[in-house]
Amino acid sequence: AVVSTQSTGGHSGEHPHISFLSRERPPSNQKQRLQLIEEMHAHSQFCWSGDNTVSGLKRAISHAASIPDADERIVVAFSDANLKRYFIRPSTIGEAMTSNPDVSVFMVFIGSLGNEAQQLRKVLPGGRSFVTMDTKEIPVILQQIFATSIMNT
C-alpha cells in the first residue's frame, strides 16, 4: 500500500512559516481544497514585502526530515526569484537546499526580474531548480520533480 502524507506551508515578507495544510488534517473535499487555495492567494496579496525564503526553506527541510518512517522526503519551494533585492546570495539558497541529504529539495522560480531566476538556476544544485514565467507550467514541473525523486530512490 502506498501511503502519502503532505503538509503545505508558506513564507512571506511577514513570516518565515505560515501553515496552510497539516498532514494530520488534509482537505477532504473540493470545497476545502478551494478554501486552501483562496487562503494562500489572499495571504500573498496582503502580506508585507520582504523575504523569508531562506528561513522558510530551512524550516521546511527540518520539518520533512523529522517525519518518521518516510520513504521519501521532498520539499518543493516556490519563489519569485527576487532574492538580490533582499541581499540573499544564491550560494545561501544552495547551501540550504543541500543541508540535509535525507531531504530532496527543489526550487521553482515563478517570474523573474531580468534574468535573475536563470542566474540562480546556474548556481543551484543541478536538476533541482526550475524557472517558469507561466504558472500553467507548474503541473509539468511538479511531474518532473516527482519523477526525478522516484528515480533517485
Side-chain angles (χ1 to χ4, degrees):
V2 175
V3 177
S4 175
T5 60
Q6 67 180 23
S7 59
T8 301
H11 69 276
S12 68
E14 291 181 44
H15 303 285
H17 178 73
I18 302 116
S19 181
F20 291 113
L21 173 66
S22 165
R23 63 186 166 114
E24 290 84 20
R25 295 185 43 214
S28 60
N29 57 48
Q30 293 289 64
K31 181 180 178 183
Q32 289 178 351
R33 288 183 189 98
L34 178 60
Q35 288 172 330
L36 171 67
I37 292 168
E38 288 173 339
E39 181 183 353
M40 293 168 72
H41 183 258
H43 183 81
S44 70
Q45 282 188 309
F46 300 110
C47 65
W48 291 100
S49 65
D51 198 289
N52 280 298
T53 300
V54 176
S55 55
L57 185 59
K58 287 179 179 179
R59 189 180 193 292
I61 294 166
S62 176
H63 174 72
S66 72
I67 298 171
D69 302 324
D71 291 332
E72 295 178 88
R73 293 171 178 88
I74 302 170
V75 169
V76 181
F78 295 88
S79 174
D80 61 6
N82 192 9
L83 304 176
K84 193 182 296 182
R85 173 179 171 183
Y86 298 104
F87 306 103
I88 299 172
R89 294 187 333 264
S91 60
T92 304
I93 298 289
E95 289 165 11
M97 290 176 70
T98 58
S99 64
N100 189 321
D102 296 328
V103 181
S104 298
V105 181
F106 299 87
M107 294 291 302
V108 179
F109 297 108
I110 303 170
S112 182
L113 292 175
N115 66 348
E116 187 171 356
Q118 292 295 345
Q119 294 300 319
L120 280 165
R121 198 162 175 243
K122 290 178 184 177
V123 177
L124 297 179
R128 300 287 177 151
S129 62
F130 301 83
V131 176
T132 182
M133 299 299 174
D134 185 353
T135 56
K136 292 177 187 168
E137 295 175 355
I138 292 174
V140 173
I141 292 170
L142 290 173
Q143 285 178 331
Q144 290 175 329
I145 288 170
F146 296 128
T148 298
S149 181
I150 289 170
M151 290 188 302
N152 290 334
T153 58

